[in-house]
Amino acid sequence: MTLNQRFPLSDAIEVDKLVEELRAEPVGGRLRVGDPRVVEFLTKFARKLLAPATARRFPELASLGFFLRKGEIAKALSTLETSGDALRFPRGLVFHVPPANVDTIFVYSWALSALAGNHNVVRVSSRSAGAAETVLEALNAALSEVDADTAAAITATQRMITYDRSDAISGALSVAADLRVIWGGDASVAALRKYPLAPHARDLTFPDRSSFAVASVRGWHEASETERRGAAEGFYNDSYWFDQAACSSPRAVFWVGDEAGAREAGQEFRKLLAEVLAKKQHVTEPAMAVQKRVSAYGAAVDGLVNGIEFQGNGIVTLELADPAILPREWLGAGTFANARVDTLSDLVPIVLRKDQTVGQFGFSKEELTQFVTELAGRGVDRVVPFGSALTFSAIWDGYDLLTEFSRLVTVQA
Amino acid sequence: MSVFTLSQAEREKSLLPQLAELTAHHRENSEGYDRILSSLGIARDAAFASIADLPWLPVRMFKTHDLRSIPESEIFKTLTSSGTTGAGASRIYLDKAAAGAQTKQLGATLQEVLGGERLPMLMVDTIGIIKNRRSFSARGAGVLGMANFGRKHTYVLDENDEPDVEAVKTFLATYGDKPFLIFGFTFMVWQYLYEVAREHKLDLSNGILIHSGGWKKLIDRAVDNTEFRRRFKEDTGLTRIHNYYGMIEQIGTVFLEGPSGNSLYCPDFADVVIRNPETWEEQPVGEPGVIEVVSTLPHSYPGHVLLTEDLGVYNGIDDGDWPGKHFSVMGRLPKAEARGCSDTFQGAAA
């Protein structure tokens, strides 16, 4: 029943003891929403992530560091200002179960919850490597750069732990939590829901999602050479950073416009994308190349696609037989379903609740707003330009996270 | 009738028309296969300039999809194998003719090293592996398939998977002074036969060993093919050792190690193409790549040209024990892993 404490780095601890420590009031008084001690710690931590050596090695950590800069934090907190009779308070103890294979999500989830003044226990995957290890090092290092009282308050209230599968530990942390945050898809949600919560507590779940991209044929025609190259570069980052397996990475591309224009634009776009892959010296491992063939051929057997085009091992384009039937599962890093529709409205009936991010190129704000309005909530949580699909934001999967991580108390005299 | 006779040029000439015809046959009779080739833009009347030009399927397709060129009513046997990838089992459908052909051609291949008559046979396995005939493990299918080529079968392992030294001694006392056949999976042959034979000073010098199944477990013990052969020779007198490479997805086709060892040869109805995993072009001799196996046997399912997930290298062409290409298997491709939002492994969260 013991678990390892990765941040603050400390001896293994029994789960009951951990819960008891986390329930205690910290030195210097309870944490508040936007607590200056948390803000100070986060900004010190962000600076470490933005250090050139770290940012070069893990570009995703630079994005994280940017997200946690002082100005950004202040901006996020300003959205929480209440009016009238309401006062905002932390929820209490939050148990986070982040995904094992996106190294940075756990930090976003935790940092926003800490900003809301919660005590947090984060289960970091024992399989985590690379960026996650660097994050934990930076957190521990930041602790020695804040004043002693701040360090004591952070140590008392914030824990990142690892443990091997254990009903006892997951059960104890679940029943102790005021809020449980489950990332990592349907399987993780189902696995964690086996453990009861306290009656007043609730889950915030992030199930399996999928995403697609839309590109305007007209917008492509009107774009400059530089803008087109920028689109390919942005699309590369959206897709290849996490082997296209991130839920926000596009799995399909819909060209919106006339047939001849769509064909021409698509070909040019893929040529530019191939140039980006070459420039970034992108390598497709042989096993991944085989995996992509298996997926592509399988889609053909299933009748989903009627054309398969390879540009080296890096880019596989699957021409959809029917735009309405798009693959939403992962098909291998750099495998894109491709289809054409006349208007964005044609995509409305295709969208499911599972669809999260729509990456877009070449549309006006009005066109996109019109599209989302027509969707009327059937699906899609965010529409972002090419290159921003993986940019985390405090509003995620339809939730305003800081709001979810806090609660309101109303006072009437 | 040896099936190790064709030079590479003769093989191209003899096999290419047969394989092109098979490609057309499978397009005609397997809608899924036809959809793949059509999606790739390969015309129905496409001509192929060489064996290496033929379109290949990743062997894993048979784990993810049912591909067959016979109607359900003609299925005589369904072979299933669970691969090492854990991606489910391959399903291979044989009609009566295909089942007959694969047994016949496996026999013809092994005859090269066993001669014409059935030999007394030592099975380096337990009889339990073939007891349950309704569900074959790949190992059980291998043991059962090989059993046909011997007689007077003696199993080296008892029901508890413990070496039955007395049974082996009795077998050797009865049949050990004339040629006899030994069959098993490489790792088990090493662990149960070699170690027991060395310990009990058994004489295996009249044995002919046929073995298969990869070296992964033995590499940890610092035993490669050369070492395997050397130790068997020195400690048991066994010198006629033939490793073979084959898979359930191309049942009946085995690539057999030649008498001088350390190289696998293609029977006359099969071929091999080593491909560069970047360009998918054929590799020259000495350059490692992904192994593609080619065989004229698969009539009932489109498995005549398959890209495996193994790495290999040509050791030479028309310059070895037997004519044609000869090659070595170097191991498996590492698994493709992706990062992502979903935890795909079991019990990630609990």
Side-chain angles (χ1 to χ4, degrees), chain B residues 245-289:
Chain B
Y245 174 67
M247 60 206 62
I248 203 156
E249 294 84 356
Q250 235 175 43
I251 184 93
T253 305
V254 299
F255 299 86
L256 193 62
E257 188 177 19
S260 42
N262 287 326
S263 215
L264 299 158
Y265 293 80
C266 313
D268 288 345
F269 52 88
D271 201 7
V272 63
V273 180
I274 306 285
R275 292 195 179 273
N276 175 327
E278 281 294 317
T279 63
W280 302 107
E281 296 295 315
E282 187 169 12
Q283 292 284 51
V285 171
E287 289 286 334

Side-chain angles (χ1 to χ4, degrees), chain A residues 150-276:
Chain A
T150 300
I154 297 295
T155 302
T157 58
Q158 312 298 325
R159 302 293 171 89
M160 305 217 175
I161 58 170
T162 57
Y163 59 90
D164 292 324
R165 279 188 73 169
S166 160
D167 285 342
I169 296 175
S170 295
L173 294 175
S174 294
V175 80
D178 298 288
L179 177 72
R180 185 170 57 184
V181 185
I182 310 172
W183 303 81
D186 295 359
S188 296
V189 172
L192 262 297
R193 282 219 168 129
K194 292 200 310 258
Y195 306 107
L197 293 167
H200 71 276
R202 43 185 285 242
D203 275 327
L204 185 58
T205 59
F206 297 91
D208 288 336
R209 310 302 305 277
S210 68
S211 299
F212 60 85
V214 294
S216 160
V217 173
R218 187 181 44 81
W220 184 264
H221 272 297
E222 288 168 2
S224 67
E225 180 68 15
T226 312
E227 284 168 330
R228 292 177 187 185
R229 281 184 189 285
E233 187 124 357
F235 188 85
Y236 170 88
N237 293 343
D238 288 348
S239 307
Y240 287 85
W241 263 16
F242 287 104
D243 296 332
Q244 217 190 335
C247 40
S248 312
S249 296
R251 305 243 163 106
V253 182
F254 293 100
W255 291 89
V256 182
D258 68 286
E259 193 144 352
R263 200 171 29 247
E264 192 189 333
Q267 276 165 353
E268 192 194 354
F269 172 69
R270 288 192 290 275
K271 186 173 80 67
L272 292 174
L273 183 61
E275 285 171 20
V276 177

Side-chain angles (χ1 to χ4, degrees), chain B residues 106-127:
Chain B
L106 180 61
T109 305
L110 293 174
Q111 200 173 331
E112 189 72 27
V113 296
L114 298 180
E117 55 175 311
R118 286 186 174 200
L119 301 173
M121 187 169 188
L122 260 188
M123 297 282 211
V124 189
D125 214 312
T126 164
I127 194 153

